[in-house]
Amino acid sequence: MEILMLLVGIFQRLIFWILRPFYYINSLRSKPRLPAISSPYLHMSVVQIARKIREGEIKSRDIVDACIERIKAVNPIVNAIVQDRFKEAQKEADEVDEYIAANLDNVEKIEKDKPLLGIPFTVKETCSLKGMSFAIGCLLRKGTIAEDDGEAVKELKKAGGIPIAVTNTPEYGMSWETNNLVTGCTRNPYNFYRSAGGSSGGEGAIISSAGSLCGIGSDLGGSIRLPAMFNGIFGHKPTPGYVSLEGHYPYTSDHNFQKYLVLGPLARHAEDLSLLMNVLLGERAQSLQLDKPVLLSEINVLFIEEATNSLDAVPVAKEIKMRMQEAVHYLKTAHGCRTEKGKFELANSINIGLALVLGIKGIPNLLDSSVTKKKGELNAYVECLKSMFGLSEISRFGALYSIVQKLNLYSKRKYEKYYKLNEDLKNSFKDTLKDNGVLLYPTFPVPAIHHNEIFILTHAVMYPIIINTLELPATHVPLGLNKEGLPIGIQVVAGPHQDRLCLAVAKALEEKFGGWIPP
């Protein structure tokens, strides 16, 4: 354990306890509530709606209009949308309906060729959508428009999906809270004063709010799974190397960046993840064999409730531990899974994860993104101080990240040390999980945190970030609400290339715990 990181973690824990009364007082304030969902379609899964559209039972235009109406109702509260394309989406939906009416005898062919025909979806702003905002929360890029669709967007559109909007993300996607100086702060639909997570926070909030049926996010340190947890929906981080990163910004040619960053789907229903993954994979779909049946009784289920009891660690909430225990018991008794406590050594996850992610070369330096200053003229420490008072051109987390870059917390020797630990741990997971094992593990130790609270809870990211550096697939599964009405859940982790196990277990747990609960 690095002494500096240990001291930082302990200091953050002290600040957390000092601020706890203020957060409690804040929680007593009246909260805006989302209006009730008026359209029955918005309770249905993508799989169900796509089938009804193909068979002519419902029209794509009705679904698109329902999403647009819902976005207009909830976005003033959650602030998840950066830019919409409502008129274009309505026109494309009308074209789909005309096509369906003329091809009702070709339902099976439509399902095979265009499984998402007529389905509206949203896109995280870091994933380029032609003609739409590509600022990614950065003032220097304000007004930047994507010149082409990213590869993942192309696949969804090729499958018949209709993009309706791009969603909010922190500056350059470099935060676990979605807030920036261009489009502001995205709020949690279950509690206005809580975070929607990041960096796919806009996706998490609008999908949970039923403004979108599904969407694309990206994940370098939990950025799909954390918003999925905070917003009570499903999110899948695929095995790296399958879903194309083309069209994502930021991007670097560093080999580790391409191993740790993944693009993946978010949705309200577990069955939609398999469909979306098959579409996103394109020609690689056969490689992961997502359609191959999974016999749950043959799955070994390991579980770890807490990575460490170290003084700097954020304790896992009791309710999350209890739900995990219930999930383990359910998989054992209802599906015949073999269950046992996992024995992976994960106490050093924060150092391993941060060392490897911070060691990525070519990540843009936000200090060079000034609108008014030349390259090299901004001082990281000055901008960090100014950002606390809203006086900087860089967001708070962006300025803090610039300091971390400047400090170079992990020397070459330390990096090599943690890289070796990561490789050893990777081999341990591979040898233990094989092709028939999963690990149930906290996605994050606590439910949706208060706005800006991530600054004193950074050690909590040890839970999602280590899964990125281990290059493993993982699905966040909602397991209901806690006593405060906030979503809680866990991630299901599998061995490399075994995404289908994560998705199968997610579906089983949805049957038990109910999955998404409308906020």
Side-chain angles (χ1 to χ4, degrees):
M1 174 65 71
E2 294 296 328
I3 296 299
L4 177 59
M5 289 301 297
L6 176 63
L7 293 176
V8 168
I10 293 174
F11 176 73
Q12 288 183 329
R13 296 295 298 149
L14 289 173
I15 297 298
F16 170 81
W17 283 105
I18 291 172
L19 293 178
R20 196 172 184 186
F22 297 96
Y23 286 129
Y24 173 74
I25 293 172
N26 189 56
S27 70
L28 299 178
R29 298 164 63 188
S30 61
K31 307 172 186 66
R33 296 177 64 87
L34 297 189
I37 299 172
S38 58
S39 170
Y41 301 140
L42 298 183
H43 288 278
M44 297 165 62
S45 71
V46 171
V47 171
Q48 292 172 319
I49 293 174
R51 182 174 62 250
K52 290 181 179 296
I53 290 175
R54 284 193 299 271
E55 296 175 352
E57 290 186 34
I58 56 178
K59 293 184 179 298
S60 172
R61 177 61 186 265
D62 291 338
I63 304 301
V64 169
D65 284 348
C67 286
I68 291 173
E69 180 183 346
R70 184 64 179 170
I71 288 173
K72 289 179 178 179
V74 302
N75 197 58
I77 298 173
V78 298
N79 188 37
I81 301 298
V82 172
Q83 185 181 3
D84 69 69
R85 58 186 306 277
F86 292 161
K87 291 183 179 179
E88 296 90 337
Q90 289 172 323
K91 180 181 178 182
E92 291 164 14
D94 288 337
E95 292 171 355
V96 166
D97 292 331
E98 291 175 7
Y99 176 81
I100 293 291
N103 290 273
L104 286 176
D105 295 333
N106 298 317
V107 172
E108 290 184 5
K109 187 176 188 305
I110 292 173
E111 181 179 8
K112 180 181 178 182
D113 297 342
K114 294 183 178 295
L116 292 180
L117 188 61
I119 293 294
F121 68 94
T122 41
V123 180
K124 180 181 180 180
E125 196 185 7
T126 59
C127 306
S128 60
L129 174 59
K130 186 176 180 179
M132 300 295 285
S133 175
F134 205 34
I136 312 167
C138 179
L139 283 175
L140 180 66
R141 293 177 59 90
K142 186 176 182 180
T144 300
I145 301 298
E147 297 180 356
D148 201 0
D149 291 327
E151 194 64 32
V153 173
K154 286 180 183 177
E155 294 293 351
L156 291 178
K157 291 172 73 173
K158 190 187 342 180
I162 300 174
I164 55 173
V166 293
T167 55
N168 206 21
T169 181
E171 189 170 24
Y172 281 10
M174 293 181 178
S175 175
W176 291 279
E177 165 139 22
T178 297
N179 194 355
N180 62 65
L181 300 180
V182 179
T183 41
C185 178
T186 297
R187 305 174 188 91
N188 191 293
Y190 293 86
N191 187 324
F192 183 87
Y193 302 114
R194 300 276 182 154
S195 170
S199 60
S200 307
E203 281 299 303
I206 202 63
I207 292 171
S208 176
S209 300
S212 172
L213 300 184
C214 59
I216 310 174
S218 57
D219 192 317
L220 180 60
S223 293
I224 287 174
R225 291 158 292 148
L226 183 59
M229 175 174 171
F230 282 9
N231 296 283
I233 60 175
F234 293 86
H236 182 66
K237 171 209 164 316
T239 300
Y242 287 96
V243 180
S244 174
L245 301 179
E246 182 183 332
H248 184 276
Y249 190 89
Y251 181 84
T252 168
S253 59
D254 186 300
H255 181 58
N256 286 333
F257 179 82
Q258 297 173 40
K259 291 193 300 181
Y260 305 155
L261 176 72
V262 293
L263 271 59
L266 297 96
R268 293 194 298 277
H269 302 275
E271 67 176 346
D272 296 337
L273 295 181
S274 296
L275 171 61
L276 294 167
M277 276 297 298
N278 267 319
V279 170
L280 289 170
L281 290 169
E283 295 179 356
R284 304 180 181 91
Q286 291 299 320
S287 303
L288 283 183
Q289 298 182 301
L290 296 182
D291 295 328
K292 182 179 178 181
V294 174
L295 191 58
L296 289 174
S297 62
E298 295 181 355
I299 293 181
N300 295 323
V301 176
L302 308 181
F303 60 96
I304 297 178
E305 298 176 355
E306 197 147 26
T308 176
N309 292 316
S310 175
L311 289 174
D312 63 316
V314 179
V316 175
K318 289 182 179 179
E319 287 167 302
I320 293 177
K321 290 182 179 180
M322 288 175 60
R323 294 292 165 82
M324 181 184 292
Q325 292 167 3
E326 291 175 24
V328 171
H329 180 72
Y330 172 73
L331 293 172
K332 180 178 181 178
T333 57
H335 293 283
C337 298
R338 293 179 292 275
T339 62
E340 63 178 298
K341 194 161 187 178
K343 297 179 175 62
F344 302 110
E345 182 49 63
L346 294 166
N348 226 346
S349 294
I350 188 65
N351 283 300
I352 294 173
L354 289 181
L356 271 60
V357 170
L358 292 174
I360 293 172
K361 308 297 183 186
I363 296 290
N365 189 332
L366 288 169
L367 293 176
D368 297 332
S369 66
S370 173
V371 179
T372 60
K373 301 288 185 180
K374 295 180 181 178
K375 183 176 180 178
E377 287 188 357
L378 292 183
N379 179 281
Y381 301 102
V382 172
E383 294 307 312
C384 190
L385 180 62
K386 288 168 62 177
S387 71
M388 298 302 167
F389 300 96
L391 301 175
S392 176
E393 300 172 79
I394 301 173
S395 62
R396 292 174 185 173
F397 207 95
L400 182 61
Y401 183 81
S402 296
I403 291 180
V404 173
Q405 281 183 312
K406 185 180 181 67
L407 288 175
N408 189 24
L409 296 176
Y410 298 94
S411 64
K412 182 179 179 181
R413 181 181 61 81
K414 291 177 181 177
Y415 175 86
E416 291 175 348
K417 167 189 172 184
Y418 290 117
Y419 186 88
K420 174 65 165 56
L421 288 174
N422 189 71
E423 290 298 303
D424 292 343
L425 192 54
K426 191 189 303 183
N427 289 331
S428 177
F429 267 85
K430 183 178 179 180
D431 294 342
T432 303
L433 296 180
K434 298 184 175 66
D435 62 355
N436 68 333
V438 298
L439 171 69
L440 305 189
Y441 192 55
T443 301
F444 201 72
V446 293
I449 58 179
H450 299 84
H451 292 296
N452 297 313
E453 198 175 6
I454 190 62
F455 288 101
I456 57 172
L457 291 175
T458 50
H459 276 50
V461 304
M462 68 186 294
Y463 287 91
I465 198 172
I466 192 66
I467 308 303
N468 292 80
T469 61
L470 293 175
E471 302 170 50
L472 301 172
T475 302
H476 172 74
V477 182
L479 299 180
L481 307 179
N482 72 354
K483 60 184 179 182
E484 295 178 85
L486 297 172
I488 54 178
I490 56 174
Q491 56 183 327
V492 181
V493 183
H497 322 295
Q498 303 303 320
D499 298 54
R500 65 192 187 95
L501 301 185
C502 299
L503 301 175
V505 172
K507 288 178 68 175
L509 293 178
E510 181 182 36
E511 294 170 3
K512 165 65 177 175
F513 294 94
W516 167 69
I517 299 173

